[in-house]
C-alpha cells in the first residue's frame, strides 16, 4: 500500500492512497482484477498503468526492473509525505522511489514502512503528475568496510581529503562528490582502493 499525507504542519492527514497486489495469477494488463481511480476533490495519489489511472493494480509477481508509475494531481503548495507499506515482498529485490523533479532515488524498504517527504513549490514541475515512480532492482551485494580516520586540509581555494579504511576487501574505488546544498551532489573524482 502507498499513502499520501498532507497538512504535515498540523500533524498530517491521509489524503489518498493506492495498492499494488503482486501475484503470479495476475496480469500486467489493465483488466477486471484492477480498480479504476475515482478522483476526489482533494489530492489524488494513484497508479498510472498503460494510461489508465488506477487505485488498485493487480500485477504479476514482482521481478527485476518492474516499474510502478504513480499519478498525482490536485496538489497544493505545501509539504507532503508518502508512506510505503510492504507486505510479503520478494526479499531478493530492492525498491527505489525515483523523484523526477529532484532527480534522485530514495531506497524503499520491502520489509518495513518507508516515509518520504516532498514539497510542492511555486515551480510547476514540483507538482507534475508523473513526478514519482517505483523501480525494483536485484539486490546488490555491498562491501562491508569502515572509515578509521578522515582529515580535510585547506589547500589554496580547494581542500585535500585523506582517509583510512579498515576491511577494504571488495572495494574497487571511491567516488568523491561535492554539494553546495547537501541535497544535490556532483561527482568530482574517483580514487582507486588500495586492495582491489
Amino acid at each position: 500500500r502507498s499513502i499520501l499525507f498532507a497538512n504535515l504542519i498540523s500533524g498530517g492527514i491521509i489524503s489518498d492512497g493506492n495498492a499494488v497486489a503482486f501475484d503470479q495469477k495476475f496480469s500486467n494488463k489493465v483488466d477486471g482484477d484492477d480498480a479504476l481511480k475515482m478522483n476526489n476533490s482533494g489530492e489524488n495519489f494513484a497508479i498510472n498503468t498503460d494510461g489508465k489511472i488506477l487505485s488498485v493494480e493487480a500485477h504479476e509477481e514482482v521481478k527485476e526492473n518492474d516499474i510502478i508509475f504513480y499519478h498525482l494531481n490536485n496538489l497544493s503548495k505545501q509539504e507532503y509525505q508518502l508512506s510505503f507499506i510492504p507486505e510479503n515482498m520478494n526479499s531478493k529485490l530492492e525498491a527505489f522511489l525515483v523523484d523526477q523533479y529532484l532527480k534522485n532515488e530514495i531506497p524503499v524498504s520491502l520489509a518495513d514502512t518507508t516515509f518520504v517527504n516532498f514539497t510542492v513549490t511555486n515551480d510547476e514541475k514540483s507538482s507534475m503528475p508523473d513526478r514519482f515512480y517505483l523501480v525494483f532492482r536485484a539486490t546488490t551485494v555491498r562491501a562491508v568496510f569502515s572509515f578509521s580516520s578522515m582529515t580535510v586540509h585547506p589547500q589554496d581555494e580547494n581542500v585535500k581529503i585523506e582517509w583510512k579504511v579498515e576491511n577494504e576487501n571488495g572495494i574497487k574505488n571511491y567516488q568523491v562528490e561535492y554539494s553546495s546544498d547537501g541535497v544535490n551532489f556532483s561527482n568530482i573524482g574517483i580514487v582507486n582502493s588500495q586492495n582491489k
Side-chain angles (χ1 to χ4, degrees):
R1 290 179 294 138
S2 303
I3 299 171
L4 174 69
F5 292 91
N7 298 324
L8 299 186
I9 293 174
S10 303
I13 60 165
I14 295 176
S15 291
D16 203 2
N18 58 69
V20 180
F22 296 101
D23 196 294
Q24 60 187 9
K25 67 182 178 184
F26 296 133
S27 162
N28 285 350
K29 295 180 181 174
V30 176
D31 58 24
D33 291 324
D34 304 302
L36 293 174
K37 169 74 174 151
M38 295 178 62
N39 281 331
N40 57 59
S41 59
E43 292 93 348
N44 288 273
F45 179 40
I47 302 158
N48 184 348
T49 302
D50 295 332
K52 302 285 186 190
I53 307 303
L54 308 173
S55 58
V56 177
E57 179 182 10
H59 194 284
E60 291 175 2
E61 190 171 338
V62 67
K63 58 187 178 298
E64 184 178 357
N65 298 321
D66 274 351
I67 297 176
I68 305 300
F69 294 97
Y70 291 110
H71 181 85
L72 289 157
N73 68 343
N74 289 344
L75 300 182
S76 307
K77 293 179 183 107
Q78 64 172 299
E79 187 170 351
Y80 289 95
Q81 184 177 78
L82 296 175
S83 170
F84 298 92
I85 308 161
E87 292 181 24
N88 304 316
M89 292 298 296
N90 182 339
S91 62
K92 295 179 183 176
L93 297 174
E94 295 178 315
F96 297 88
L97 183 69
V98 177
D99 183 336
Q100 297 190 90
Y101 172 64
L102 293 180
K103 299 186 179 2
N104 64 14
E105 294 185 356
I106 300 123
V108 173
S109 172
L110 296 181
D112 199 1
T113 302
T114 300
F115 297 96
V116 177
N117 287 17
F118 71 98
T119 304
V120 173
T121 65
N122 290 327
D123 186 343
E124 290 179 8
K125 292 181 181 177
S126 69
S127 63
M128 57 188 178
D130 62 348
R131 176 172 172 172
F132 296 104
Y133 64 86
L134 190 69
V135 62
F136 296 90
R137 297 188 183 124
T139 301
T140 55
V141 177
R142 291 180 173 82
V144 177
F145 67 96
S146 61
F147 285 98
S148 58
S149 69
M150 179 178 280
T151 57
V152 179
H153 306 283
Q155 282 191 336
D156 300 320
E157 294 180 8
N158 297 310
V159 293
K160 179 179 181 182
I161 304 170
E162 296 178 311
W163 64 85
K164 291 185 181 175
V165 177
E166 303 295 328
N167 303 319
E168 193 179 51
N169 296 332
I171 304 293
K172 180 179 178 184
N173 57 45
Y174 301 91
Q175 293 186 11
V176 181
E177 297 184 338
Y178 169 79
S179 174
S180 60
D181 59 9
V183 176
N184 300 298
F185 289 82
S186 58
N187 191 343
I188 59 170
I190 295 177
V191 178
N192 290 329
S193 69
Q194 298 297 314
N195 300 316
K196 295 180 193 175

